[in-house]
Structures are given as C-alpha cells and as structure tokens.
Amino acid sequence: MRLYAVVAAGGFRRFATYRVATAAGVFTNTVFGFVLAYTYVALWEERPGLGGYDLPEALAYVWIGQALLAACGLMAGGVEEEIIERIRTGDIALDLHRPADLQLWWLSVSLGRAAFQLLGRGVAPMAVGALAFDLALPQHPLTWPAFVLSVLLGAVVSFAIWFLVALSAFWLMDGAGVGQVAWLSGLFFSGMLLPLNLFPGALGDLARALPWSALLQVPADVFLEKRTGWGLLEAYAFQAGWAVVLLAAGRLLQSMAARRVVVQGG
C-alpha cells in the first residue's frame, strides 16, 4: 500500500505544478458560481423552501458544487484521457504487465489529483461565495470531517465511473462517445445544475439512485446537515456501495482487456 500512497502524493504534486490552469479554474468556477447563485436567488425568491432548502442552504449548495466540480470529477475525471491515450498507443500493455495493479495505480493518481483540486481549486471559490452571500454553514464541528469523508467516497465513485469510460476504448477505439454520455450524465444527474430534490416523481427517484448523485448531492446534503445519525450512515453506505460495484465492474473490464492484450500479443 506504501507504493500507492507514494503514487497519490506524486499525483498531488504533479497537478500542483499547473499553476496557471489552477488559477484559470478558480476564476472560472467563481464566475459560474456567481451566475448560478443569482439564478438561485431569483428562483428561491419566487419559490421559498424549494426542494427542502432555504435560500442560504441553496446558495451554499451552489458553492459546494463549484468547490467539488474538479475534485469529484462532475464533468471529467482527470485521468481518463491519459488512460485512453495509453490504450490508443499500445502503452497500456506495459502497464498491465507491471507488478503494480492498474486500477489501484490510477485510483491513487486520481485521489492525489482530487485532493489538490479540492484545496487548490475548491477552497477559494467557496470562500468568495461565503464573503459575497449569506451561506448556510455547518453548525456542528463534526460535520466538517463527515463532509470530507463523503467527498472522498464521491471521488472514488467518480474515478470508478471514468475508469470504465477509459477502458471502453479497448473496444470502441477512442471512448469519445462514452465520454460524452458520462459528461452529460454527470452534469445532469450529479445535481450540478439543480439539486436532485427538485426533480419530480420517478425522475427524481431515479436521479437520486444513480451513482452520479454520490458526487455532489450526497456530500452537499452532508455539509448542510440534511444527513445526520442513521441518515449519514445511509449516505456513506450508498456511496460506498456504488464504489464497490463500479470498481468491481472496472476490475472485470480490466481482466477482459488484459486477456485481449495477451491474445493480440500472441
């Protein structure tokens, strides 16, 4: 496990070198945060209490979304393009024959990237939002570590989704189509545009049951203390359950890909 801890630390340092990109990301997230925040203000003034949130909670939800946009890979995982490129060039064959596990290696890289993105690209927009608007903040100190754990689980689920997207390139040449579907699904079903509590009827039930809700909706509800006690444990179980299922699916695809490489190599 020490190897993967080193890989995660390396992933953190690697993404920390992209200072201009990080500054651009902070600026972009902040601008879109203001756009969404004023949209939410207009909406909640017309419909107070919409989705079970008051206005400060709704505004906090907006800025949590901007903070987690890159950290939880709501629209892109951050490592899938590298994996797809290695599949395209054939370098993935070397990766599959190394003593390190392919999935654990890239999970470690992804978690290192997520940690940096949360600190480097997430904290600043959230701080700006808190200064500019009246945001609902946790009332209990233990909510903060509970939120961080939920974000960690969300980051694992995100990696598992994008790892599946990347491995599809073994059979679909480039994975662009699957990537577009995952991108749109993340945008819509994570709650990035609107909280999933606002989705009506069966659509809302479906959206909350899909893995993308583990990336934003669940961590946001933990932050806003909508999930406490048994509700918090259920939230963790939901995220962990999807992580296990999707990682297992990724491991299955990885095994199939390894056999494909062996057959083609032979």
Side-chain angles (χ1 to χ4, degrees), residues 59-165:
L59 290 172
Y61 184 96
V62 168
W63 292 100
I64 293 168
Q66 296 307 305
L68 299 185
L69 178 62
C72 284
L74 303 184
M75 299 171 66
V79 298
E80 71 281 354
E81 291 184 1
E82 293 182 63
I83 300 174
I84 290 172
E85 179 62 17
R86 295 188 70 79
I87 293 172
R88 189 187 66 81
T89 60
D91 291 339
I92 197 71
L94 299 175
D95 299 338
L96 289 167
H97 286 91
R98 288 173 179 163
D101 181 78
L102 181 72
Q103 188 183 58
L104 286 177
W105 179 281
W106 285 106
L107 173 59
S108 302
V109 173
S110 182
L111 290 179
R113 180 204 64 84
F116 171 75
Q117 296 290 12
L118 182 63
L119 296 174
R121 192 171 162 178
V123 172
M126 187 72 182
V128 171
L131 291 172
F133 299 93
D134 178 22
L135 306 187
L137 299 175
Q139 298 299 307
H140 303 286
L142 290 179
T143 300
W144 290 99
F147 171 67
V148 171
L149 177 56
S150 184
V151 171
L152 173 62
L153 290 171
V156 174
V157 174
S158 173
F159 164 77
I161 292 171
W162 289 105
F163 187 68
L164 289 171
V165 170

Side-chain angles (χ1 to χ4, degrees), residues 101 103-104 107 156-157 159-161 163-164 167 239-257 259:
D101 181 78
Q103 188 183 58
L104 286 177
L107 173 59
V156 174
V157 174
F159 164 77
I161 292 171
F163 187 68
L164 289 171
L167 291 188
Q239 292 178 294
W242 269 119
V244 170
V245 168
L246 293 172
L247 288 173
R251 187 156 292 279
L252 177 61
L253 275 190
Q254 178 179 313
S255 299
M256 295 170 61
R259 288 196 294 269

Side-chain angles (χ1 to χ4, degrees), residues 183-202:
W183 181 85
L184 290 171
S185 299
L187 181 66
F188 188 73
F189 288 116
S190 67
M192 185 65 199
L193 298 178
L194 283 172
L196 301 182
N197 296 341
L198 274 63
F199 288 22

Side-chain angles (χ1 to χ4, degrees), residues 206-246:
L206 174 64
R208 288 186 291 272
L210 292 174
W212 289 279
S213 67
L215 311 187
L216 172 56
Q217 182 68 58
V218 173
D221 281 343
V222 172
F223 182 91
L224 295 172
E225 297 175 337
K226 302 292 184 182
R227 302 279 195 130
T228 58
W230 284 110
L232 179 60
L233 294 179
E234 289 174 356
Y236 289 156
F238 173 80
Q239 292 178 294
W242 269 119
V244 170
V245 168
L246 293 172

